[in-house]
Each structure stands twice: as C-alpha cells, then as structure tokens.
Amino acid sequence: MELALLYSGGKDSSLAAALLDRFYDVRCVTGSFGLTDDWEHAERAAAEIGFPFERIELDRAVAEEAAERMIADGYPRNGIQRVHEHALETIAERDVDAIADGSRRDDRVPTVSRAQAQSLEDRHDVDYISPLSGFGRHAVDRLVEATFEVEQGPSEQVPKADYEDELRALIAEEHGEETVADVFPDHDQTYVRGRND
Amino acid sequence: MELALLYSGGKDSSLAAALLDRFYDVRCVTGSFGLTDDWEHAERAAAEIGFPFERIELDRAVAEEAAERMIADGYPRNGIQRVHEHALETIAERDVDAIADGSRRDDRVPTVSRAQAQSLEDRHDVDYISPLSGFGRHAVDRLVEATFEVEQGPSEQVPKADYEDELRALIAEEHGEETVADVFPDHDQTYVRGRND
C-alpha cells in the first residue's frame, strides 16, 4: 500500500516514517511554496534514513494568507495550522492509499481533529493516519534516541524544512526581520542526521 | 525497551502488537477477574502471532462495581470504561518502560483522554501508548487484512478475552440471562487466528 507522509526532516516525521514502514510503502513528501530551498534539507534527511522523497508545490496564496494571519495574531500558531491543512489537502490529491503526518499526542499545533480526519478521508477516498498521535513526548524522545542520530539547536541554525522557514522568509521580505522576531519566539529544533539501528 | 500491551486476542490489540514490535519487546497481557477461562483465547492468539503472554489478575470488586453500573445504565459503555482504566492502572504497576492498549481513533469506548494518559505516565513513571489512536477504522481493517488471518462473528460465538465475557458471566450469575441481553446489544467480534505476512 502506498502512503505519502508529510515530511520535514525533523525527528517526529522521521519516526512516523519508521513506524509506518512496517505496513506501507512510505514516500516522504515535503511541501514548498518555492520561497526558499529549505525543502532540500528534508530531501537529504529522507535519503539518510532510506526513504524515497518528493517535493510538492504548495499554493503561494496560502503562504501570504498564513503570514498575514501570523502578523495579525503576533504568534505563528494559526498560520502554521492553515498551511498544514493546505499541505494535507494537497497530498490527499495524490494517487496513494493513505496520507500521514508526524503530529504527536502533546502537540498544540498543527492538530487534526477526529472530524477533520474523517472529512479528509471521505472527500479524498484516502486513509489519514497520524501514527504518533498515541505517543507522548517522552516516548517519542526515547524511540528517536534509539532509532536515529539527531542534531539539536535553535530554530534558525538547524536545517529543516517545516513551513516555518518559508513563512519566516516571506515575512522578512515583506515586513523586515523585526516582524519575524515578533512573531516567532525562540525555540529549539531537531534535524535527523542518520539511523542508529 | 519492555512494553506491556493490554491484549484481548482481537484484531485491534493484535495490530497494536505488530506496530509496536518494531521498537519494543512487546508482552501481551490479558486481565482476568477469574470468573471465566476466556483469557485462554487471548493466550492462544498471542502464541499464534508470536508474542509472549501473561495473565494478570484484576480486582473482583471492580467487576462487581462495573456490572452494577451497566445494569443501572442499561448499556455497557461506562462499566467497560471503568474496567479498562482499572486494567491500565494494574499493568502500569509492572516493571516495564511502557504500557499500551489497542484503542482506535474511532472507538467510543474505552477511551483514554490526553489528561488521563499524562496522569498515568506521571503517577507510574511509565510511557502510555495507544498506537492505533491515529488510525481510523478503514485503515485498521486494511492493515489487519494484510497482516492476520481473522475470524468474524456474533459476540457470543467468537472466542475472545475482552472484559465483556467475564462481565456477561457475572451479570448472568447474579441477575440471569435476560439482564445480560438487556445490557449487551448484538454486535460482531473478531478473533485473530494467525499471521498472513
């Protein structure tokens, strides 16, 4: 069975790939608005853990809308959620049996409710799977440690391909770096460098 | 890492075992009040899919309480939920790194909320994992079909070891078969007969 997994090169989506590998032909798929080349980090991480990779193009209008929302809110949550939903709708159009993402039980954003999951499945005739949604942060960290070689550091310095980088670039271009700093609080990111097992 | 999985011999908990097998030393654990020998069906199913098995003793007072609740409600949901929570608390006392169950995204009962999961983890210093909670019914059915040989039929005829059988027996003993029929609506159960893969 063919499965398209929304993939950032980070530890959560990498662990999701490893979990699903037992049952599906997993392809790691990274959405990009064409604003930066950050998707290449995900391509490299997918190769390092041994999964096929595909870049898909997302709708630039959604990036603009999400950036405006983030600036209006003063925090990124709702904008990230909007982009994640758009990315799921986009991969659901692919000719696959299932789509998946790396969202965890303890994630505040992005989230996909049971009703949203059912709606995605019904409209696109595809299974939506969030394989980590039954795992808490501690369990994920232990499994990642046992499975991958991981690099950790501040968001700006760790190469990764979540939507954040492109939205930062878009906001910087249109509103300057100070606005980026206003919207995105400092936090650590992780990037998968290879397998341990 | 050692993991104790609440196991009934049914398709959901069998699939949970197969999913977790990639990362954990999985032991299938079936709780029993000592009212029937139905736990032996789970022991046989665990052997058929290749996992070690353990029977654990549950508190008879909890069965009495759950049965009274079911009769008062006229349906089994809250009583089953009570027994499931008791079984999770019981296996969380085991010397394991993680505990798990086979609850799915679309299950109405038993359910474990995010807050309940966190509380279990904090009080017992153990990870609680519900590996199927990110899978809908259709995805579970497809994976089960690809992985196991399954038997399906009415609840009373398929040998399985969920709490239902023992609670039926307890209610029958104390209140007669008519009360059992009042509380438990007819529905199909499944039982795993072996592996396909």
Side-chain angles (χ1 to χ4, degrees):
Chain A
M1 287 181 286
E2 299 283 328
L3 180 142
L5 167 70
L6 277 184
Y7 186 69
S8 71
K11 63 181 184 175
D12 293 348
S13 52
S14 294
L15 184 61
L19 260 166
L20 293 166
D21 191 32
R22 164 85 174 72
F23 296 100
Y24 293 95
D25 295 319
V26 176
R27 195 188 334 161
C28 293
V29 177
T30 300
S32 166
F33 295 106
L35 292 160
T36 72
D37 292 331
D38 283 314
W39 61 271
E40 293 174 359
H41 301 307
E43 182 176 41
R44 202 161 52 234
E48 278 161 359
I49 63 171
F51 288 95
F53 176 85
E54 186 186 347
R55 171 187 177 275
I56 52 160
E57 202 160 330
L58 300 181
D59 182 352
R60 183 79 71 104
V62 174
E64 299 279 352
E65 186 194 315
E68 291 310 318
R69 178 66 188 265
M70 287 172 169
I71 293 165
D73 287 345
Y75 54 81
R77 199 166 68 228
N78 297 318
I80 294 284
Q81 178 72 26
R82 174 72 186 90
V83 173
H84 188 68
E85 288 172 10
H86 170 58
L88 283 174
E89 294 287 338
T90 305
I91 63 168
E93 295 289 342
R94 281 284 188 282
D95 182 25
V96 290
D97 301 292
I99 61 172
D101 63 25
S103 53
R104 289 174 308 148
R105 185 186 82 200
D106 303 333
D107 278 348
R108 287 195 314 150
V109 65
T111 60
V112 177
S113 70
R114 193 188 296 201
Q116 282 176 302
Q118 194 68 60
S119 165
L120 255 177
E121 293 183 334
D122 293 346
R123 286 181 293 111
H124 297 283
D125 191 26
V126 74
D127 289 329
Y128 163 71
I129 297 164
S130 52
L132 299 188
S133 65
F135 292 76
R137 178 190 302 261
H138 183 259
V140 168
D141 287 347
R142 290 187 72 168
L143 295 188
V144 164
E145 198 182 317
T147 313
F148 302 116
E149 200 179 320
V150 167
E151 178 182 339
Q152 181 146 7
S155 292
E156 314 90 275
Q157 288 160 31
V158 174
K160 205 178 143 182
D162 54 11
Y163 323 114
E164 191 174 317
D165 295 307
E166 287 199 294
L167 293 166
R168 278 172 181 270
L170 183 62
I171 293 171
E173 192 183 299
E174 298 186 352
H175 301 271
E177 287 293 346
E178 317 80 67
T179 309
V180 176
D182 287 347
V183 169
F184 290 93
D186 290 341
H187 68 281
D188 275 10
Q189 294 281 6
T190 54
Y191 175 73
V192 168
R193 285 286 186 204
R195 298 188 88 119
N196 287 331
D197 63 344
Chain B
M1 286 182 285
E2 299 284 328
L3 181 142
L5 168 69
L6 277 185
Y7 186 69
S8 70
K11 62 180 184 173
D12 293 347
S13 54
S14 295
L15 183 61
L19 259 167
L20 293 166
D21 191 32
R22 163 84 173 73
F23 296 100
Y24 293 94
D25 296 319
V26 176
R27 197 187 334 160
C28 293
V29 177
T30 300
S32 166
F33 294 107
L35 292 161
T36 73
D37 292 330
D38 283 313
W39 61 272
E40 292 174 359
H41 301 308
E43 182 176 41
R44 202 162 51 234
E48 278 162 359
I49 63 171
F51 288 94
F53 176 84
E54 186 185 347
R55 169 187 179 274
I56 52 161
E57 201 161 331
L58 301 180
D59 182 353
R60 182 79 72 104
V62 173
E64 299 280 352
E65 186 194 315
E68 290 310 318
R69 178 65 189 264
M70 287 172 169
I71 293 165
D73 287 344
Y75 53 83
R77 199 164 69 227
N78 296 318
I80 294 284
Q81 177 72 25
R82 175 72 187 90
V83 173
H84 189 67
E85 289 172 11
H86 170 59
L88 283 174
E89 295 286 340
T90 305
I91 63 167
E93 295 290 343
R94 281 285 188 281
D95 182 25
V96 290
D97 301 291
I99 61 171
D101 63 25
S103 52
R104 289 175 307 147
R105 187 186 79 199
D106 303 332
D107 277 349
R108 286 194 317 149
V109 67
T111 61
V112 177
S113 71
R114 193 188 297 201
Q116 282 176 303
Q118 193 69 60
S119 165
L120 256 178
E121 294 183 335
D122 292 346
R123 286 182 293 109
H124 297 283
D125 191 25
V126 75
D127 289 328
Y128 163 71
I129 297 165
S130 52
L132 299 188
S133 65
F135 292 75
R137 178 190 302 261
H138 182 257
V140 168
D141 287 348
R142 290 187 72 167
L143 295 188
V144 165
E145 198 182 317
T147 313
F148 302 115
E149 202 180 321
V150 168
E151 176 183 340
Q152 181 147 4
S155 292
E156 313 90 275
Q157 288 161 31
V158 174
K160 207 178 140 183
D162 54 10
Y163 323 116
E164 191 174 316
D165 295 309
E166 288 199 295
L167 293 166
R168 278 173 181 270
L170 183 61
I171 293 171
E173 192 182 299
E174 298 186 352
H175 302 270
E177 287 294 345
E178 317 81 66
T179 309
V180 175
D182 287 347
V183 169
F184 291 93
D186 289 340
H187 68 281
D188 274 9
Q189 295 282 6
T190 55
Y191 175 73
V192 169
R193 285 286 186 205
R195 298 189 86 119
N196 286 330
D197 63 344

